[in-house]
Amino acid sequence: MTQDTLIVPAEDLGGGGTRWWRDAVIYQVYVRSFADSGGDGVGDLPGIRARLPYLAGLGVDALWLTPFYVSPMADFGYDVADYRDVDPLFGTLADARGLIADAHAHGLRIIVDVVPNHTSDRHAWFQGALAASPGSPERARYIFRDGRGRGGAEPPNDWESVFGGPAWTRLPDGQWYLHLFAPEQPDLNWENLEVHTEFADILKFWLDLGVDGFRVDVAHGMAKAQGLPDVGHTDQIEMLGTAVLPYFDQDAVHDIHREWRRLLDSYDGERIAVAEAWAPTPERLAAYTRPDELHQAFNFHYLTAPWEASGMRKVIDESLRTAGAVGAPATWVLSNHDVKRHVTRYGDGERGLRRARAAALLTLALPGSSYVYQGEELGLPEVLDLPEEFQQDPQRLRGEGAGRDGCRVPMPWEGEEPPFGFGAGAASWLPIPTAWRDLTVAAQRGAPGSMLTLYERALRIRREHPALGDGSLRWLAAPRGTLVFVRETHETGSVHETNGGDGAGRRLACAVNLGGGTVRVPASGTPLLASGPVHADGDHVELPSDTALWWDIKEDD
């Protein structure tokens, strides 16, 4: 069997589905790095609009766009100065309307970022707070406090910023304001009714424009512990994921999400919200997706899972168990704009690429919804040697290697030299490595064995095979270091129904060798897709290390 050979024709695969968000494949567009229409080296909304045929052809269901609102760009748009307009860097409000309409015409839904934990320090509200006096209604929209110690010279508590240093900045009048991220990102006070009213109106503004949902930035952060108590130790940010800190994952945040769910449910068309929530356990994460809260939550436990069979299976089982306990679909994500690209995390070079190919088939075969970060379908690695003058991420302040610029390098589209068709200009806002000439969309399109071809074929099968998408899985006995599971056709009325009964009884198996040597896996049936070269031997397949295989199982097995 040749590498990533598609053996079963599309017309032989069943398909269908309802409640799109339960098993959607959602493609993350990092707006400033996707496609530049204006020649200034920065991606924009018209650039995305021009590339919609590519995204529709790839086979994804929806796009998640990172912030494109008016912003001074202290944190690349996650510091919003006006939530109801488009920054001129990215286009106009008319461009946003056109992009939404064109995406819908291509069968793609649009999810936009909303940033409710903090605004920009240039937001009209915060500028008003700076001009007002302590105790004023303007300051009550944010978290202002008097300092401690002699003359109030010490911060109100010991909280630390995610980007490093204290989470408080002092004003000339002596008061301090809270910012869990950069000083240019003051935290809002969600105990203030005005904040609730404002964000309900912001959501309505974009829903009325036609967006299909929101990705909620720092969904775990808006509610703060009563009294803002000290944590009591330093290096707090390093503790995230192993402890619940007072400034994240407070129970009161769920009341906000319930408000938003009621608003979303008042609109037609299954409008959704996706939580970017860091929680210490899968159970705490699942709480964000209870039936009356948000629809999905990013599964960071899967993203950080080790490339090792028992550890990976444990994360998958916990994710399915906890999501299922609240009736939500599990989500699966390998990379995003905040973490090192998984080709590099998995070992870089050829080993990292083999593992990334196998991880793609594993991920897309799991029950629930999958996220694809732009460029992962090309096998893009992390850029580790960006010149210092180009590194702008405020997270770099946390220490060497902490910056996120390397995963945000623009998409290579075509050509032999940078910027590889990213835009009409001679340069892109972050330099694209010359070595990416073999990774461009044009270089990989239609090429047997390319990462792009693998993703196109995998997404095609996922959309059309009645056993894939939402549902459950059943583990099979497997050689050491290997995961093997079966996906089965769902019952009538579930998310993936069969077409006229043609898919009744259809089952798909997935095997992934995460170990160090070749293994023999029972695989009776029809092979569909492999991430690398495999050898069929009767009713078994020899599966090399870091390789995955999908196959249809015989009905009598």
Side-chain angles (χ1 to χ4, degrees):
M1 188 185 313
T2 60
Q3 187 171 349
D4 72 37
T5 299
L6 180 64
I7 297 176
V8 175
E11 55 267 23
D12 291 340
L13 299 175
T18 59
R19 304 197 77 184
W20 66 272
W21 50 273
R22 292 195 62 92
D23 60 3
V25 176
I26 300 173
Y27 186 97
Q28 181 191 354
V29 174
Y30 190 67
V31 175
R32 64 170 45 236
S33 293
F34 190 68
D36 166 27
S37 72
D40 62 357
V42 177
D44 48 43
L45 299 185
I48 300 168
R49 193 175 178 183
R51 297 290 185 177
L52 289 174
Y54 165 75
L55 295 166
L58 182 61
V60 299
D61 301 298
L63 312 182
W64 152 34
L65 309 182
T66 54
F68 48 78
Y69 313 112
V70 176
S71 168
M73 303 296 165
D75 188 22
F76 297 107
Y78 284 95
D79 50 318
V80 181
D82 185 346
Y83 290 86
R84 298 178 182 83
D85 203 356
V86 175
D87 194 282
L89 186 67
F90 301 129
T92 66
L93 200 54
D95 291 326
R97 290 192 185 95
L99 173 58
I100 294 166
D102 282 3
H104 289 166
H106 279 88
L108 298 167
R109 291 177 168 88
I110 293 288
I111 297 168
V112 299
D113 246 301
V114 63
V115 186
N117 180 70
H118 48 262
T119 71
S120 166
D121 62 351
R122 307 286 181 86
H123 191 284
W125 272 15
F126 194 72
Q127 290 296 301
L130 294 179
S133 59
S136 64
E138 290 83 1
R139 290 201 176 183
R141 296 163 172 164
Y142 294 88
I143 301 176
F144 282 85
R145 295 291 187 275
D146 294 328
R148 298 189 294 192
R150 187 174 181 179
E154 298 298 322
N157 65 20
D158 66 357
W159 293 5
E160 297 175 359
S161 163
V162 171
F163 291 159
W168 297 90
T169 289
R170 196 179 194 192
L171 298 177
D173 63 19
Q175 276 209 313
W176 299 75
Y177 70 87
L178 178 69
H179 53 86
L180 295 182
F181 293 84
E184 297 89 349
Q185 296 168 292
D187 277 48
L188 287 159
N189 175 18
W190 276 89
E191 294 182 4
N192 187 316
L193 182 59
E194 272 195 278
V195 176
H196 289 252
T197 302
E198 172 69 1
F199 272 87
D201 190 73
I202 289 167
L203 298 186
K204 290 176 184 176
F205 177 87
W206 290 102
L207 289 167
D208 291 342
L209 246 63
V211 303
D212 300 282
F214 301 93
R215 178 265 195 185
V216 184
D217 184 61
V218 195
H220 54 298
M222 294 103 85
K224 310 303 192 281
Q226 289 294 317
L228 308 183
D230 283 339
V231 175
H233 60 79
T234 57
D235 300 324
Q236 297 163 22
I237 300 306
E238 282 70 19
M239 293 293 293
L240 288 177
T242 61
V244 179
L245 298 175
Y247 37 83
F248 288 130
D249 195 37
Q250 289 291 303
D251 289 341
V253 79
H254 297 285
D255 293 332
I256 302 168
H257 298 321
R258 291 185 184 99
E259 290 178 22
W260 288 16
R261 179 60 180 261
R262 290 192 293 271
L263 173 59
L264 290 164
D265 286 349
S266 71
Y267 279 78
D268 294 332
E270 294 281 343
R271 315 292 182 97
I272 73 166
V274 183
E276 186 228 13
W278 289 90
T281 66
E283 288 81 6
R284 294 286 301 186
L285 182 65
Y288 289 83
T289 57
R290 287 176 288 200
D292 61 344
E293 294 193 41
L294 307 184
H295 298 74
Q296 297 182 351
F298 288 143
N299 188 350
F300 294 117
H301 298 281
Y302 180 71
L303 184 149
T304 57
W307 188 256
E308 181 269 324
S310 62
M312 186 73 78
R313 175 168 173 172
K314 180 180 179 182
V315 169
I316 293 170
D317 283 340
E318 286 183 343
S319 301
L320 292 172
R321 176 180 59 82
T322 54
V326 296
T331 66
W332 314 100
V333 57
L334 294 169
S335 286
N336 63 39
H337 68 292
D338 284 332
V339 299
K340 186 176 291 184
R341 285 188 176 273
H342 61 275
V343 166
T344 300
R345 294 200 323 270
Y346 285 155
D348 217 4
E350 287 301 315
R351 182 175 68 172
L353 199 60
R354 285 198 311 274
R355 290 179 173 178
R357 293 174 64 89
L361 294 195
L362 168 62
T363 301
L364 293 172
L366 292 171
S369 180
S370 294
Y371 284 77
V372 175
Y373 178 44
Q374 66 176 51
E376 77 174 65
E377 78 276 18
L378 304 179
L380 298 184
E382 186 83 358
V383 179
L384 301 173
D385 56 353
L386 282 171
E388 179 69 25
E389 62 268 25
F390 288 100
Q391 298 183 38
Q392 306 170 50
D393 180 15
Q395 190 166 298
R396 287 190 308 128
L397 298 175
R398 287 180 52 190
E400 185 178 353
R404 300 164 292 178
D405 298 292
C407 65
R408 300 174 174 183
V409 172
M411 281 275 289
W413 291 97
E414 64 250 344
E416 297 296 317
E417 299 292 337
F420 297 117
F422 170 69
S428 50
W429 74 280
L430 287 174
I432 307 176
T434 304
W436 283 12
R437 63 167 55 94
D438 296 328
L439 300 179
T440 67
V441 171
Q444 296 195 49
R445 177 170 282 147
S450 75
M451 184 71 90
L452 179 58
T453 298
L454 178 72
Y455 267 79
E456 289 173 339
R457 292 175 171 175
L459 289 169
R460 177 180 164 193
I461 294 174
R462 179 188 165 91
R463 175 170 292 199
E464 296 170 343
H465 199 291
L468 290 180
D470 197 17
S472 59
L473 63 76
R474 176 167 53 89
W475 295 104
L476 301 181
R480 184 179 179 86
T482 305
L483 298 178
V484 183
F485 59 87
V486 174
R487 301 295 315 282
E488 297 177 308
T489 304
H490 311 300
E491 296 178 1
T492 301
S494 65
V495 176
H496 266 196
E497 297 179 0
T498 61
N499 287 334
D502 293 340
R506 290 285 299 280
R507 291 179 291 168
L508 179 144
C510 175
V512 189
N513 182 2
L514 296 90
T518 298
V519 297
R520 279 174 57 85
V521 177
S524 58
T526 305
L528 299 177
L529 188 62
S531 69
V534 299
H535 175 66
D537 181 14
D539 284 345
H540 287 72
V541 168
E542 293 182 359
L543 196 65
S545 176
D546 302 328
T547 305
L549 171 68
W550 289 354
W551 71 94
D552 256 340
I553 301 178
K554 289 180 180 178
E555 289 190 12
D556 56 351
D557 284 354

